[in-house]
Amino acid sequence: MREVKTLGLLGTGVIGGGWAARALHFGIDVVAADVKPEMERWIRGAVENAEGALARLTFAPLPPKGKLSFTTDLNAMARQVDFIQENIPEQLELKQRVLAEVSRHARPDVVIASSTSGLMPTDLQREMEAPERFLVAHPFNPVYLLPLVELVGGQKTSTAALDAASRFYTQIGMHPLRVRREIPGHLTDRLQEALWREILHLVNDGVATTGELDESIVYGPGLRWAAMGTNLIYHLAGGETGMRHMLRQFGPCLKWPWTKLEAPELTEELIDRMVEGTQAQAAGRSIREIERLRDDYLVAIQQVLKQFNIGAGATLRTVEARLYEENASGATAAPAGLQRMDTQVRPEWVDYNGHMTDSRYLQVFGDAIDALWRSVGVDDAYRASGRALYTVETHVTHSAEAKPLEPLYVLTRVLAVDDKRVHVFNALHRTRDDVLVATGEQMYLHVDTRAGKATSMDPAVREKLAQIRASQSGLPPPKQAGRHIGIMSQSGARS
Ligand SMILES: NC(=O)c1ccc[n+]([C@@H]2O[C@H](COP(=O)([O-])OP(=O)(O)OC[C@H]3O[C@@H](n4cnc5c(N)ncnc54)[C@H](O)[C@@H]3O)[C@@H](O)[C@H]2O)c1
């Protein structure tokens, strides 16, 4: 299967637009194809709209953004791309026809995936050429923020195609979930559908409004679901003996009329109730306004979950670790063995003076040091073994401004290393003119985190740090290193 540099999109509506935004953000070029020429404006708008949230999702150094082009010639798109994602309307015959046609123009090692919410891959691949490279890859809206993608193979799908798709989606920051067996609705939509049908019944029977039913999720189960699924949460509900006790206690309820999964008749009256209910909830806000609110909290939740390395936060953490590693070993290699990390001034890092606020300098230096640690083997596994490097002293100097969205890079030096200590020096530069913006000198102590005291570091880690230090030994000592509050003492001022 091909390495994916260019992604082809078939259908550029809500889901096609989401795929475009995510792929471009992770440095993949996109050729978007739709039968309607007016969709070009739409998809460019959708990508632009997603950028605000995507820019805040991760602080890790990303590859340069991909380029977006648009065509109404589906076959021309198929001939020039490395991977095709189909997102046309959910109609079996239409999808079958378009997929078969496109498969005759795409090279046989180009994976073709369908975003279908519930159609079966065996049905979709029936008329295709090289059907073994076809699979279902079902994303969730907004595709650019939600990492889940369900991968489902049909009878003719090869393991190679599933593996290649898994690699590609992981590269663009997603969590591929392999569905063992094809089934209408895959996994997630079956669960969502059960809830949805119950909602329609409760509204239809006049038991609750759409708003009340949303409250019943938002203030309770929804918060739990952000990081743990129903099963693990219910395991906790059983107390010390977990799921076993939970099933014993609530087992009898399974026979009670707590749900009726058949959908109710979709009458005009029910449709009106659903529409009126959700319009009241929207309270005059446009779809775009509510989308921005949703994107903001989705970013915030993922940032929080990242700290706990759980759920979507764990996916984000994994992709960031890879981005930092690629950046450290990448084309923008730093001089004389210095470690380089690229970053950008996020809009929310800016203070009332219009430039990067003090605390964010520590964050940037911290990210650069994390990249250094990872490169010498101090990673999550090392920390899980009860060892870590703690900051014991920091000195920051500032020499130029960094404005919002300014691209920056940090060059990191190891000034000294012994068994228990690492003395590092970071120089933060503006990318556009290489001007030095700030420096951060830090001393780290290696600790046994369980005993809470200093201890010798792993010899392999020490050796790698010593090698880095040796490779930088030809550089002159940084003039800001070893300083205290320089300006006051230079001017002779005393307080
Ligand atoms: N909307 C969601 O929440 C969601 C979530 C996951 C998956 N999906 C699935 O993604 C697919 C697309 O859904 P959507 O919500 O983006 O639909 P949409 O109606 O927003 O977009 C469909 C696009 O396909 C284009 N199109 C129609 N016929 C075409 C053809 N023959 N060739 C090329 N383009 C054609 C249309 O012009 C339109 O731009 C569906 O299979 C749907 O089940 C949707």
Side-chain angles (χ1 to χ4, degrees):
M1 294 296 161
R2 308 173 69 82
E3 189 200 342
V4 185
K5 296 205 168 109
T6 306
L7 171 69
L9 297 175
L10 201 49
T12 63
V14 174
I15 294 303
W19 279 117
R22 176 179 278 280
L24 293 166
H25 194 65
F26 281 89
I28 307 285
D29 290 337
V30 172
V31 181
D34 200 291
V35 280
K36 293 188 192 150
E38 64 269 27
M39 291 311 285
E40 171 160 17
R41 236 187 84 207
W42 194 91
I43 196 171
R44 290 192 187 280
V47 167
E48 201 184 306
N49 200 51
E51 261 163 18
L54 272 170
R56 282 175 284 121
L57 182 63
T58 171
F59 304 150
L62 287 154
K65 267 204 172 57
K67 289 184 187 60
L68 174 65
S69 58
F70 180 88
T71 176
T72 50
D73 184 344
L74 311 187
N75 297 336
M77 174 280 285
R79 283 191 289 272
Q80 53 176 304
V81 299
D82 307 311
F83 194 110
I84 296 175
Q85 185 79 36
E86 170 274 307
N87 327 278
I88 64 174
E90 187 81 343
Q91 297 159 23
L92 179 61
E93 276 164 29
L94 174 70
K95 284 201 197 267
Q96 276 173 327
R97 182 165 49 77
V98 174
L99 286 166
E101 167 75 10
V102 161
S103 71
R104 301 198 193 327
H105 296 270
R107 286 162 292 211
D109 58 350
V110 169
V111 171
I112 303 181
S114 171
S115 297
T116 176
S117 300
L119 299 173
M120 310 265 268
T122 297
D123 294 333
L124 292 170
Q125 71 192 158
R126 199 156 281 144
E127 308 295 329
M128 285 177 70
E129 200 158 293
E132 67 282 354
R133 46 52 186 278
F134 174 80
L135 62 135
V136 163
H138 175 226
F140 294 81
N141 190 35
V143 181
Y144 51 90
L145 290 182
L146 295 188
L148 181 61
V149 55
E150 292 178 301
L151 303 191
V152 199
Q155 277 165 14
K156 295 183 186 154
T157 306
S158 69
T159 309
L162 285 162
D163 290 345
S166 232
R167 280 195 300 278
F168 170 60
Y169 296 122
T170 304
Q171 188 194 341
I172 58 171
M174 301 185 86
H175 177 87
L177 172 63
R178 294 253 191 135
V179 179
R180 291 159 190 266
R181 207 150 44 97
E182 60 183 325
I183 179 171
H186 324 311
L187 300 181
T188 313
D189 275 354
R190 293 185 76 88
L191 300 182
Q192 296 199 115
E193 187 68 17
L195 197 57
W196 176 233
R197 288 187 187 183
E198 196 60 40
I199 286 171
L200 291 176
H201 272 299
L202 292 168
V203 173
N204 202 36
D205 297 349
V207 176
T209 64
T210 61
E212 287 157 3
L213 291 166
D214 282 352
E215 279 179 50
S216 81
I217 297 296
V218 167
Y219 296 99
L223 291 173
R224 301 192 300 212
W225 280 333
M228 288 181 196
T230 302
N231 300 308
L232 192 57
I233 287 289
Y234 280 4
H235 177 57
L236 304 182
E240 277 304 302
T241 48
M243 180 58 91
R244 188 166 297 284
H245 179 69
M246 149 80 195
L247 283 172
R248 284 223 178 90
Q249 191 184 0
F250 294 102
C253 315
L254 295 174
K255 300 262 189 294
W256 300 348
W258 275 17
T259 178
K260 36 184 175 183
L261 271 185
E262 284 287 310
E265 184 75 26
L266 199 54
T267 60
E268 285 305 316
E269 200 194 332
L270 175 54
I271 293 174
D272 285 347
R273 265 195 223 174
M274 295 301 295
V275 171
E276 280 159 23
T278 44
Q279 271 174 354
Q281 287 177 267
R285 291 168 298 178
S286 69
I287 293 282
R288 278 276 182 255
E289 260 178 285
I290 303 175
E291 269 179 358
R292 274 195 293 276
L293 185 62
R294 173 202 64 191
D295 288 3
D296 286 348
Y297 78 68
L298 285 175
V299 167
I301 286 176
Q302 288 179 72
Q303 296 291 349
V304 171
L305 295 183
K306 196 175 76 172
Q307 294 169 31
F308 299 97
N309 202 16
I310 192 168
T315 309
L316 186 57
R317 201 157 155 156
T318 306
V319 74
E320 287 187 343
R322 201 202 70 227
L323 289 166
Y324 280 120
E325 264 160 40
E326 282 176 2
N327 184 257
S329 61
T332 45
L338 291 174
Q339 304 262 320
R340 172 169 169 147
M341 187 206 71
D342 289 89
T343 188
Q344 206 182 358
V345 182
R346 308 277 152 169
E348 68 275 18
W349 290 4
V350 171
D351 63 14
Y352 41 75
N353 292 323
H355 52 226
M356 189 156 109
T357 199
D358 290 4
S359 60
R360 299 299 182 173
Y361 286 87
L362 290 179
Q363 176 168 347
V364 170
F365 293 140
D367 287 345
I369 295 296
D370 276 350
L372 173 69
W373 294 160
R374 270 190 295 272
S375 75
V376 298
V378 179
D379 51 16
D380 284 344
Y382 190 86
R383 281 184 286 273
S385 73
R387 295 165 300 172
L389 282 145
Y390 285 2
T391 320
V392 286
E393 195 172 336
T394 297
H395 184 234
V396 178
T397 72
H398 299 266
S399 46
E401 272 186 299
K403 300 262 190 205
L405 298 177
E406 180 87 57
L408 303 170
Y409 63 91
V410 184
L411 297 178
T412 302
R413 281 178 72 170
V414 177
L415 295 181
V417 57
D418 65 19
D419 268 358
K420 294 184 183 163
R421 290 172 306 172
V422 194
H423 183 188
V424 289
F425 184 83
N426 291 299
L428 178 68
H429 296 263
R430 285 199 301 240
T431 309
R432 67 182 150 96
D433 53 9
D434 292 319
V435 160
L436 182 70
V437 175
T439 64
E441 184 183 3
Q442 280 154 310
M443 183 65 87
Y444 284 85
L445 191 62
H446 188 269
V447 289
D448 176 329
T449 52
R450 290 176 190 134
K453 58 177 192 188
T455 178
S456 296
M457 66 184 85
D458 184 291
V461 170
R462 188 190 160 166
E463 177 53 29
K464 282 192 194 136
L465 285 166
Q467 279 169 10
I468 291 172
R469 163 152 167 53
S471 72
Q472 301 164 346
S473 58
L475 296 168
K479 70 176 173 20
Q480 300 87 347
R483 277 174 56 170
H484 46 103
I485 299 294
I487 293 170
M488 290 290 278
S489 49
Q490 273 161 24
S491 65
R494 296 280 182 274
S495 59

